[in-house]
Amino acid sequence: MADKDQADVSGQQSNPLSRKLNKILETRLENDKDLLEALKAMSSFFMENNLRSRRNLRSDIEKRSLAINEEFLSAFQAVKEQLDSVYGDVKAMSDCCQDMTNRLKAAKAQTNHLISQTTKLHAESQKLHMKQEVASSFLEKFQLKVDEIKVLRGHRDGSLHEDFFKALKRVKQIHSDCKVLLRTNQQTAGLEIMESMALQLESAYERLYRWTQKALQDRPVLFKYSMDEYGTARRSAVVRGFIDALTRGGPGGTPRPIELHSHDPLRYTGDMLAWVHQATASEKEYLQTLLRLCQASSASVEDNLGHITEGICRPFKVRVEQVLVSEQEAVTLYKLDNLLKFYHNTISQIVAADSAVLITITEVQDLSHRMFFNSLTCHANRLLDKVDLPPADLGPTSSLTQTLQLLRDVLACHDASVVPVDDKKQDYKQILSCVIDPLLQMCSMSASRLNTVDMAAYMINCIYLIHSTLALYQFTDTRLEMLQAQTEAHVDTLVSEQAAYVLNRVGLTYVYSCIQQYTDSQGPLSQMQGMDTISVKSAMNKFDSYLASPDSLALPQCGLLLGTLLRETVKRRSVELICQAYQQMYAAITDPKQEYKDPQSTVPRTPEQVLKLLS
């Protein structure tokens, strides 16, 4: 039974109609909106549910659908016609726009260059407008107005406009503002404007100066007050300038401060004197320029100049005195003395003789002169206090050499100086007296313990060195003559000693002495003791040996003489003296009254032969 039920169920599931019915039966109509809408629409024309209606239902539905489509088609036909009309209008507008676009493109292509130029010119116009505004502001700030220029130029009669000082202040302000331009890339413009304003300032000050001169010309008391005020102001400025030059130097440190060279007396003093000279000359030039159109005498200029430069006297004098007092070297002191003399003579051509600055220079120059000669005197006293002994070679001592070197240094710097000739001559006289006399005295004291020959040779050497030193300089002729005379005296001594030494060594001293002292009352020389033929002939033989080698009997002191000419002079004059002695002996021995047997064998050589052999 169960098997039969399953078979029925499976048969129903395999039947399509059954499946559709089951599906319809299972469908819930209230949930299918489309089906409900379809049934509602169908109820409007499906009035009767009979066989015919059901059979014609599809046909009715199709007819109804066709009718609806026809209605829809006819409705859309009108829409289409309207759309076609709209399309035609739009197409016509599109063609028109395209045509206008093409024409615009063509016009734009034709006017593109013009538009570019117009844009460029517009930009340039804006730039030019901006530049014009900048230039106007620049000119307003850095240029004078026409009215200001006229005010600065003044009137033809020399009077000044009441706004003159305002315009002058404006010029100064522009000149000061130009310093800002110098720190930018507008340096050229800044320099040109500064130069222009400087010329305007110079011209304005010139007109102000002329106006002041004209105003003060007929008011002597007011003029004097003005000059006093000017002198006081310039005096303060000169003093400040001198102190700044000493301690701070020039602008930017160039030149360097003078006191940096205080360790060098010459440069220190020379820089100060040069500054004083320059300042004095500049102040005199300022005064002469200031008063060139005024009826002011040269005495007024000199008085004002003396008042202006008086302020630097004290600081200058204090510093120079410190240099002179602390300096010990005579050469440096003498150079300072000549330097002060030179600037004294130079500045005296600028200021009056009674001006304070010239008096101050005279005072410090006198001090330097005294300090120099005090230094030489102290040196000379030291020479005499401690006298050196002569060296073994009888040459000059170290004291003599050092003193002569000092003298050369002093005279050399004196020759290089540009002081007047009369001053030079007077200085030479004082210097030589201060040095040469103590030097000769020292040499004499040093030679006092020597024998005659050594003393003569030593003094000749010392005087020769002194003479050689002085011969190089002018104004020394008197001293050279004195030294030459002293040298001659010592040369005579040395010549006499050399001749006596030769005669003594050859044994002719006694013969020569007897002949010199002989008188006729003594009888023939041959009869005198020691004057016999044998004795005389023996001495003559020794003398003949000397003639063969004259240098063998030369005094060693003669070879120690420094000057070649002196050595030759001593040798020549000693030979002459020996020849004179031989001539006297020859004449006496060959005299028949002296009764010498065969005198030709006793003195075989004539005086001429002896002179020839010794020459």
Side-chain angles (χ1 to χ4, degrees), residues 361-609:
I361 296 176
T362 302
E363 291 175 354
V364 293
Q365 191 269 323
D366 291 340
L367 177 60
S368 68
H369 194 75
R370 292 195 304 272
M371 294 292 293
F372 165 65
F373 281 103
N374 286 341
S375 177
L376 289 183
T377 303
C378 291
H379 183 82
N381 292 335
R382 288 195 297 270
L383 291 178
L384 299 178
D385 291 340
K386 186 180 180 181
V387 178
D388 295 336
L389 294 177
D393 61 355
L394 299 179
T397 61
S398 60
S399 299
L400 176 63
T401 305
Q402 293 172 3
T403 304
L404 289 178
Q405 182 59 47
L406 172 64
L407 182 62
R408 280 194 290 270
D409 293 340
V410 170
L411 296 182
C413 68
H414 195 288
D415 280 348
S417 66
V418 290
V419 298
V421 176
D422 293 339
D423 292 343
K424 279 188 176 183
K425 190 172 183 180
Q426 183 64 27
D427 286 348
Y428 263 93
K429 184 178 180 180
Q430 295 180 7
I431 293 170
L432 295 181
S433 298
C434 194
V435 176
I436 299 301
D437 293 341
L439 204 57
L440 292 174
Q441 186 178 355
M442 181 201 72
C443 294
S444 299
M445 294 173 62
S446 176
S448 60
R449 297 182 181 180
L450 300 176
N451 57 48
T452 304
V453 179
D454 288 344
M455 179 184 293
Y458 174 69
M459 292 300 296
I460 289 174
N461 285 336
C462 292
I463 297 173
Y464 169 77
L465 199 60
I466 298 173
H467 187 281
S468 301
T469 300
L470 297 183
L472 301 175
Y473 304 99
Q474 55 183 349
F475 310 128
T476 59
D477 294 341
T478 303
R479 285 284 174 177
L480 291 176
E481 291 177 2
M482 181 197 71
L483 293 174
Q484 185 65 34
Q486 293 184 5
T487 302
E488 291 294 335
H490 293 295
V491 167
D492 290 343
T493 301
L494 196 58
V495 168
S496 300
E497 292 295 330
Q498 173 65 48
Y501 175 73
V502 172
L503 293 178
N504 185 49
R505 291 295 298 271
V506 299
L508 289 177
T509 302
Y510 179 74
V511 175
Y512 182 62
S513 177
C514 291
I515 292 174
Q516 281 188 319
Q517 298 175 4
Y518 172 76
T519 59
D520 292 338
S521 61
Q522 294 177 337
L525 285 172
S526 60
Q527 303 301 321
M528 296 176 60
Q529 183 180 1
M531 292 297 293
D532 56 282
T533 302
I534 296 175
S535 299
V536 173
K537 190 171 184 180
S538 175
M540 287 298 175
N541 289 334
K542 292 180 180 180
F543 182 71
D544 197 58
S545 300
Y546 159 73
L547 294 177
S549 179
D551 294 336
S552 61
L553 295 181
L555 287 173
Q557 291 83 349
C558 295
L560 297 176
L561 297 179
L562 295 178
T564 304
L565 183 60
L566 285 173
R567 291 197 297 270
E568 294 296 330
T569 300
V570 171
K571 180 179 179 181
R572 175 178 55 79
R573 291 180 58 184
S574 60
V575 166
E576 292 175 356
L577 196 58
I578 291 172
C579 290
Q580 290 175 5
Y582 181 79
Q583 186 175 11
Q584 293 181 16
M585 290 185 288
Y586 181 84
I589 293 172
T590 57
D591 188 356
K593 294 189 297 181
Q594 307 303 332
E595 298 181 357
Y596 281 100
K597 296 180 180 178
D598 194 9
Q600 296 299 328
S601 62
T602 302
V603 283
R605 299 186 185 278
T606 64
E608 291 76 11
Q609 292 174 336

Side-chain angles (χ1 to χ4, degrees), residues 128-268:
L128 290 174
H129 181 68
M130 184 178 296
K131 288 182 179 179
Q132 181 182 4
E133 291 181 354
V134 172
S136 299
S137 301
F138 182 85
L139 292 175
E140 183 177 357
K141 185 175 181 61
F142 291 100
Q143 288 294 327
L144 293 173
K145 298 178 181 178
V146 177
D147 295 340
E148 292 174 334
I149 295 176
K150 290 181 179 179
V151 168
L152 288 175
R153 289 179 179 175
H155 301 287
R156 292 183 178 180
D157 58 358
S159 61
L160 298 180
H161 195 274
E162 60 182 4
D163 294 332
F164 176 83
F165 291 100
K166 292 182 180 179
L168 186 61
K169 184 178 180 180
R170 169 74 173 152
V171 173
K172 290 182 178 179
Q173 184 62 40
I174 293 175
H175 190 276
S176 177
D177 291 341
C178 286
K179 296 178 182 178
V180 179
L181 294 178
L182 298 180
R183 293 194 292 268
T184 65
N185 57 354
Q186 302 296 331
Q187 295 180 357
T188 303
L191 290 174
E192 291 179 354
I193 295 174
M194 285 187 73
E195 183 178 0
S196 176
M197 293 301 106
L199 293 175
Q200 290 285 359
L201 279 175
E202 188 68 24
S203 178
Y205 282 136
E206 179 69 20
R207 292 183 181 89
L208 180 61
Y209 163 64
R210 291 177 180 175
W211 178 83
T212 305
Q213 281 186 326
K214 184 178 180 181
L216 296 177
Q217 189 69 42
D218 299 328
R219 296 171 177 83
V221 176
L222 185 58
F223 178 77
K224 184 179 185 305
Y225 288 158
S226 300
M227 291 307 301
D228 291 343
E229 289 294 330
Y230 172 82
T232 303
R234 289 308 305 165
R235 174 173 175 162
S236 300
V238 170
V239 172
R240 285 197 305 271
F242 185 57
I243 299 301
D244 288 343
L246 288 172
T247 57
R248 298 175 60 184
T254 304
R256 302 178 68 188
I258 295 176
E259 289 193 345
L260 288 180
H261 307 290
S262 58
H263 61 281
D264 186 350
L266 282 173
R267 180 169 183 178
Y268 183 47

Side-chain angles (χ1 to χ4, degrees), residues 209 213 227 230 285-294:
Y209 163 64
Q213 281 186 326
M227 291 307 301
Y230 172 82
E285 183 178 356
Y286 296 157
L287 278 169
Q288 290 176 341
T289 304
L290 182 66
L291 302 176
R292 70 175 183 270
L293 299 179
C294 296

